[in-house]
């Protein structure tokens, strides 16, 4: 495909069009795709949001003000504070970020504590402040956090606190790492299965193809969530969190490679009869070389688009399983695990900010969907 | 057509066998069986069972046999006698526990499916015919949101709103007074007044997906020459759309019903847990937590069968709509 337009410059065109389209004429496939992708505004926004989310994944410790398990029994269900950027100082309005403290009122009838924001107490807040030490990217020892209270130990709950007085903002940011990578790793697994089975199915055809297709039909005709629950419930309680994480992603991939396999198979079948594949065969290329040197590059772009569209499904599935209590388990922090806290309507009505991870799920899914849509359109730059 | 129906139904049999094997495999996956659990529970209460007692229990539940024999016993009881075994935990036949819940699951899935159709078809047509109009943008936006929000979150948000502002809980499929009442006309009416909340919650994603499918299909068809011909003939716009492009556009729509129905059964599990519905989903979750193996296995089997039946139904519908498929 990519070599098809080398001879186009012999076609007579007026000088104006030639100048305007010179880029198009000499551009390779990836450049053309980028051009098409850039025109898709939602996809651009989705792409930027996706990159942003994966940057969060990399720099979680720096972005989160506190460690995910830092609790404060005095601040159970403390409501979110507003971050004030400017303060009236004796010298006038100055840039001096702060948050207000809380006044605790005990409601004896309801048997709970109510927090009221106290405008009198101010806790200074700073950017790039010292906090809990950590290793950035697991390598560099640091203790600087993007934002945090200047005096360590001051309460700062920009997105409220949960049942144990843990900072929801920090926990949600930590949850980003687990939830976003579950999608990525799960898709890597299903890509592996998808290319393997789809490739075999499409390249060999015949009985093999028939068998694999029936298997895919079977897998697609059974409801996945009950099976996921069954498989996830089979993971023993004693298994360490990291292994649970990989088992869950593997379980998710077990049922989601089918869509990818279909795409790969379809492409293989469509390309098998293309002239350039025939030419390569006549040239004496081996099957492996034909597949990886000639066929795979021409549908990589499609695969990337399908993979991007598969990630949100993974994220949603993990969230659902963890929400039901059969997926990832605390102390692992993922969006689904956090939403488990929001399962109870009573605690939710008392602390609606427990929904925050849900908002992140929606943003991530939307961003990846828009991005995937744009990539799919751009994957065919010649149409 | 008859041949196609026959062939298609024949294909269901190996699928069902495979499903039963998968169900049975899954319930046997967790390490330790129900007797192990009973022993552990006994230990917590300070009762120590002797080896003979444990072995006796295994014999009672048939857990001492080889796994293939357990499977054959399990499946032949189901097929031949309609006996799904007993729930270890409830000490009741599984069929009693599942029966009514299965009925409610079917009712919920089917009514959601009709809800999706009724909403998605007109909106899909409208979005395509009036492409790039304000309605098109509004529905495309709502569609994206509907796809992105997991339905249990919608359920939670709805429960939060109704709890906070209406002071009542929206969960369940019945009012409390009808919960254990025998079936009567009043109970059915009560069901219809409760079912629409889970229906809407469960239907959002499917509706959004189908609107997008139908819109894309319609857009492809609307540019075809036969539409121009029909218009030139002087057909009214409404009749034209319903008679020609819609029929073509409905084909992929019907074939995508497969996925929609499977997703309904699958996604219904979580929504039912959140909203506290009396469907199979919550029972399944509880059965897995309690390692109640016959109950869990039957629940998975039932839900998968339901999905397979839905798939079969939509395939037959497609064959009826599209002669190319049944004559292939």
């Amino acid at each position: 495909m990519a070599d098809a337009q080398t001879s186009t410059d012999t076609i007579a065109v007026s000088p104006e069009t030639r100048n305007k389209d010179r880029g198009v004429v000499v551009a390779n496939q990836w450049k053309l795709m980028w051009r098409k992708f850039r025109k898709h505004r939602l996809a651009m926004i989705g792409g930027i949001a996706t990159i942003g989310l994966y940057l969060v994944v990399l720099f979680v410790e720096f972005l989160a003000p506190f460690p995910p398990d830092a609790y404060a029994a005095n601040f159970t269900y403390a409501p979110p504070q507003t971050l004030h950027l400017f303060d009236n100082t004796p010298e006038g309005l100055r840039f001096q970020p702060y948050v207000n403290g809380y006044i605790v009122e005990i409601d004896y009838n309801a048997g709970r504590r109510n927090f009221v924001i106290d405008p009198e107490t101010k806790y200074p807040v700073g950017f790039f402040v010292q906090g809990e030490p950590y290793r950035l990217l697991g390598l560099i020892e640091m203790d600087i956090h993007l934002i945090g209270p200047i005096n360590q130990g001051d309460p700062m709950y920009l997105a409220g606190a949960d049942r144990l007085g843990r900072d929801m903002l920090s926990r949600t940011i930590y949850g980003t790492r687990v939830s976003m990578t579950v999608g990525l790793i799960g898709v890597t697994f299903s890509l592996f299965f998808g290319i393997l089975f789809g490739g075999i199915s499409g390249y060999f055809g015949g009985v093999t193809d028939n068998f694999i297709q029936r298997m895919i039909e079977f897998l697609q005709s059974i409801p996945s969530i009950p099976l996921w629950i069954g498989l996830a419930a089979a993971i023993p309680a004693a298994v360490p969190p990291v292994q649970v994480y990989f088992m869950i992603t593997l379980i998710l991939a077990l049922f989601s490679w089918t869509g990818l396999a279909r795409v790969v198979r379809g492409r293989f079948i469509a390309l098998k009869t293309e002239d350039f594949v025939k030419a390569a065969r006549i040239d004496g290329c081996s099957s492996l070389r034909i597949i990886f040197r000639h066929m795979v590059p021409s549908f990589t772009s499609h695969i990337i688009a399908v993979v991007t569209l598969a990630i949100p499904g993974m994220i949603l599935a993990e969230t659902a399983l963890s929400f039901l209590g059969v997926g990832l388990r605390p102390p692992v922090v993922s969006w689904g695990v956090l939403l488990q806290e929001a399962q109870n309507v009573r605690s939710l009505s008392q602390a609606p900010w427990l929904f925050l991870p849900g908002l992140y799920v929606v943003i991530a899914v939307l961003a990846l969907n828009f991005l995937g849509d744009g990539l799919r359109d751009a994957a065919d730059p010649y149409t | 057509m008859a041949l196609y129906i026959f062939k298609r139904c024949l294909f269901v049999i190996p699928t069902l066998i495979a499903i039963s094997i998968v169900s049975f495999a899954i319930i046997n996956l967790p390490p330790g069986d129900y007797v192990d659990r009973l022993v552990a529970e006994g230990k917590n209460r300070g009762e120590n069972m002797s080896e003979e007692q444990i072995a006796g229990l295994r014999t009672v539940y048939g857990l001492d046999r080889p796994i293939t024999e357990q499977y054959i016993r399990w499946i032949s009881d189901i097929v031949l006698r309609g006996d799904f075994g007993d729930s270890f935990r409830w000490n009741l036949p599984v069929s009693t526990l599942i029966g009514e819940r299965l009925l409610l699951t079917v009712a919920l899935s089917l009514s959601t499916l009709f809800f999706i159709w009724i909403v998605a078809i007109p909106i899909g047509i409208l979005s395509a015919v009036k492409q790039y109009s304000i309605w098109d943008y509004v529905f495309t936006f709502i569609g994206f949101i509907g796809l992105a929000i997991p339905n249990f979150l919608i359920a939670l948000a709805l429960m939060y709103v109704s709890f906070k502002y209406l002071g009542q809980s929206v969960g369940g499929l019945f009012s409390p007074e009808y919960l254990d009442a025998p079936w009567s006309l009043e109970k059915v009416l009560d069901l219809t007044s409760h079912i629409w909340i889970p229906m809407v919650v469960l239907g959002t994603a499917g509706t959004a997906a189908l609107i997008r499918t139908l819109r894309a299909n319609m857009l492809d068809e609307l540019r075809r020459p036969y539409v121009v011909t029909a218009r030139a003939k002087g057909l009214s716009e409404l009749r034209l759309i319903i008679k020609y492009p819609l029929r073509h556009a409905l084909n992929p729509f019907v074939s995508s019903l497969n996925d929609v129905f499977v997703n309904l059964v699958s996604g219904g599990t979580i929504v039912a847990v959140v909203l506290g519905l009396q469907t199979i989903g919550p029972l399944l979750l509880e059965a897995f937590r309690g390692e109640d193996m016959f109950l869990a296995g039957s629940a998975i089997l039932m839900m998968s069968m339901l999905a397979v039946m839905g798939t079969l139904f939509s395939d037959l519908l497609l064959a009826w709509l599209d002669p190319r498929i049944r004559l292939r």
Side-chain angles (χ1 to χ4, degrees):
Chain A
M1 265 167 136
D3 321 271
Q5 70 281 97
T6 37
S7 60
T8 18
D9 48 351
T10 52
I11 297 166
V13 276
S14 67
E16 298 93 72
T17 27
R18 170 164 283 189
N19 282 337
K20 207 171 70 189
D21 291 341
R22 172 157 293 169
V24 177
V25 172
V26 296
N28 64 23
Q29 192 187 358
W30 295 97
K31 265 197 195 133
L32 287 175
M33 278 166 59
W34 171 239
R35 270 167 179 259
K36 191 157 179 191
F37 179 75
R38 233 174 19 190
K39 276 191 216 144
H40 202 315
R41 213 174 296 153
L42 274 177
M44 283 297 283
I45 297 172
I48 290 166
T50 309
I51 292 171
L53 280 168
Y54 280 110
L55 282 178
V56 171
V57 169
L58 284 180
F59 299 109
V60 161
E61 289 89 353
F62 167 69
L63 294 168
F66 307 106
D69 46 3
Y71 63 94
N74 295 338
F75 294 101
T76 47
Y77 294 133
Q81 299 157 323
T82 323
L83 178 65
H84 300 269
L85 285 179
F86 298 95
D87 191 12
N88 279 314
T89 54
E91 301 98 58
L93 205 61
R94 287 287 182 276
F95 178 74
Q96 200 174 82
Y98 70 94
V99 290
N100 291 122
Y102 297 104
I103 305 174
V104 181
E105 290 168 355
I106 296 179
D107 183 346
Y108 287 103
N109 290 330
R112 65 175 185 219
R113 283 181 298 186
N114 285 334
F115 288 91
V116 179
I117 298 282
D118 175 15
E120 297 303 311
T121 45
K122 287 174 185 172
Y123 297 113
V125 167
F127 292 97
F128 303 104
V129 290
Q130 283 201 331
E132 284 286 320
Y134 60 89
R135 281 166 175 272
L136 191 72
L137 300 171
L139 295 172
I140 313 151
E141 282 196 43
M142 272 178 76
D143 59 357
I144 305 293
H145 293 257
L146 176 66
I147 189 170
I150 287 177
N151 308 313
Q152 277 190 47
D154 279 353
M156 187 188 83
Y157 294 105
L158 294 179
D162 71 354
R163 186 167 48 88
L164 297 174
R166 293 173 293 199
D167 180 31
M168 276 309 283
L169 181 68
S170 306
R171 284 174 72 74
T172 311
I173 291 175
Y174 271 90
T176 311
R177 168 170 290 168
V178 174
S179 292
M180 292 301 285
T181 52
V182 161
L184 214 55
I185 294 177
V187 153
T188 314
F189 281 136
S190 57
L191 185 67
F192 173 75
F193 290 130
I195 291 190
L196 185 69
F197 288 111
I200 291 175
S201 197
Y203 195 77
F204 292 107
V207 185
T208 330
D209 181 34
N210 221 332
F211 177 74
I212 291 177
Q213 287 316 303
R214 293 296 90 74
M215 191 163 83
I216 289 176
E217 263 168 36
F218 169 68
L219 281 176
Q220 283 183 339
S221 72
I222 46 180
S224 48
I225 288 175
L227 284 180
W228 277 333
I229 294 176
L231 290 171
I235 301 176
V239 171
V242 179
Q243 275 185 36
V244 173
Y245 173 85
F246 280 106
M247 284 179 176
I248 293 282
T249 44
L250 202 60
I251 288 172
L252 293 182
L254 215 54
F255 289 95
S256 39
W257 59 269
T258 51
L260 260 167
R262 286 243 151 124
V263 175
V264 173
R265 170 180 175 266
R267 290 271 111 199
F268 258 102
I269 290 176
L271 287 176
K272 226 163 43 172
T273 51
E274 286 280 335
D275 289 343
F276 69 91
V277 175
K278 278 187 198 149
R281 190 162 292 141
I282 292 164
D283 252 5
C285 290
S286 67
S287 284
L288 269 182
R289 192 180 157 86
I290 293 176
I291 291 176
F292 285 103
R293 193 76 192 93
H294 297 274
M295 289 168 92
V296 171
S298 68
F299 62 77
T300 325
S301 52
H302 285 265
I303 299 283
I304 292 173
V306 179
V307 160
T308 314
L309 285 171
I311 297 178
M314 290 274 175
I315 294 177
L316 284 178
E318 182 276 320
T319 309
L321 281 188
S322 305
F323 174 76
L324 288 178
V326 290
L328 302 173
R329 304 159 187 163
V332 171
V333 184
S334 81
W335 291 333
V337 173
L338 291 174
L339 282 171
Q340 228 181 321
E341 300 260 327
Q343 211 170 45
N344 182 334
V345 179
R346 266 168 219 286
S347 59
L348 199 58
S349 69
Q350 200 188 334
W353 49 90
L354 293 180
F355 262 138
L356 182 72
L359 185 72
Y360 272 67
V361 173
V362 175
I363 292 174
V365 171
L366 271 181
L368 284 161
N369 267 327
F370 286 144
L371 175 65
D373 262 4
L375 288 177
R376 191 173 50 191
D377 289 352
D380 263 328
Y382 304 112
T383 52
Chain B
M1 185 72 188
L3 186 70
Y4 179 82
I5 295 177
F6 178 71
K7 270 196 196 150
R8 186 62 188 76
C9 290
L10 214 60
F11 180 65
V12 167
I13 295 168
T15 315
L16 287 181
I17 293 173
I19 283 176
S20 74
I21 292 173
V22 169
S23 309
F24 195 76
I26 280 179
I27 54 187
N28 277 297
L29 269 182
D33 54 25
Y34 183 68
V35 175
D36 286 333
R37 208 183 152 83
L38 276 186
V39 173
E41 272 175 21
K43 271 216 181 95
N44 286 342
R45 285 196 302 268
E47 305 160 12
N48 276 320
M49 279 187 245
S50 66
E51 287 295 319
E52 293 93 71
Q53 273 177 309
I54 296 174
L57 274 175
R58 288 237 155 81
T59 323
V60 169
Y61 290 119
L63 294 173
D64 54 344
R65 309 283 171 75
I67 195 87
T68 40
E69 204 184 317
Q70 285 188 42
Y71 167 73
I72 290 169
R73 237 174 69 164
W74 178 68
I75 196 69
S76 53
D77 275 354
I78 292 176
V79 177
L80 300 176
R81 284 191 290 274
D83 177 9
F84 287 84
D86 288 351
S87 158
F88 298 141
R89 200 186 176 79
W90 302 77
N91 263 328
L92 282 169
V94 168
S95 44
T96 334
L97 281 170
I98 283 191
E100 194 178 271
R101 283 173 179 263
L102 180 65
L103 200 72
L104 287 172
T105 312
V106 173
L108 179 64
S109 307
L110 281 184
S111 54
T112 310
L113 193 61
F114 283 118
F115 166 77
I116 292 177
W117 276 356
I118 290 168
V119 177
I121 293 180
I123 293 182
I125 298 173
L126 184 73
S127 294
V129 174
K130 304 251 180 266
Q131 196 191 7
Y132 302 134
S133 71
I134 178 85
W135 291 114
D136 186 26
Y137 284 122
V138 167
F139 286 124
T140 307
F141 180 73
I142 294 176
F144 266 121
I145 299 285
L147 276 179
I149 304 181
N151 48 22
F152 68 89
L153 269 188
I154 302 180
L156 269 181
L158 213 62
M159 296 218 1
Y160 169 70
V161 168
S162 74
F163 186 83
K164 188 96 177 171
Y165 300 104
L166 307 173
Q168 61 174 34
S169 163
V170 290
L173 280 175
F174 301 103
S175 310
E177 62 265 31
Y178 289 109
L179 203 54
D180 290 317
W183 281 97
S184 62
L185 187 63
E186 285 82 24
K187 192 171 176 178
V188 174
L189 286 178
D190 189 55
L191 176 64
T192 47
S193 69
H194 281 83
I195 206 169
W196 65 271
I197 289 179
M199 195 172 83
V200 172
V201 170
L202 196 52
T204 23
T207 312
L210 280 192
I211 288 177
R212 290 188 44 181
T213 316
L214 189 59
R215 177 179 179 271
N217 295 341
M218 277 299 275
L219 283 178
D220 282 348
E221 294 299 328
L222 280 174
R223 296 189 187 119
R224 295 284 163 91
Y226 69 79
V227 176
V228 180
T229 314
R231 197 169 282 140
K233 272 197 322 194
L235 268 187
S236 78
E237 199 67 8
L238 186 71
R239 262 194 77 182
L240 180 152
I241 285 167
I242 292 175
K243 214 162 152 54
Y244 300 107
L246 183 62
R247 276 188 68 175
H248 281 274
L250 275 182
N251 276 346
F253 184 83
V254 173
S255 59
S256 70
L257 275 183
N258 275 342
D259 303 343
V260 171
F261 196 75
V262 174
N263 284 339
L264 279 187
V265 176
S266 172
T269 321
I270 304 177
V271 173
V273 170
V274 177
L275 290 176
L277 308 181
Q278 290 80 28
T279 53
I280 294 184
L283 197 68
L284 174 81
L285 192 62
E286 217 176 292
F288 271 120
R289 284 187 179 148
E291 272 170 43
D292 194 344
M293 102 180 210
F294 284 141
L295 185 57
S298 313
I300 284 205
L301 190 68
M302 281 299 166
M303 293 177 94
S304 310
M305 266 173 64
L306 197 61
V308 169
M309 291 302 154
T311 314
L312 175 69
F313 171 72
S314 75
D315 273 0
L316 294 182
L317 191 68
L318 189 64
W320 176 66
L321 267 178
D322 189 348
R324 282 171 301 186
I325 287 172
R326 61 172 183 261
L327 297 176
R328 195 172 50 189

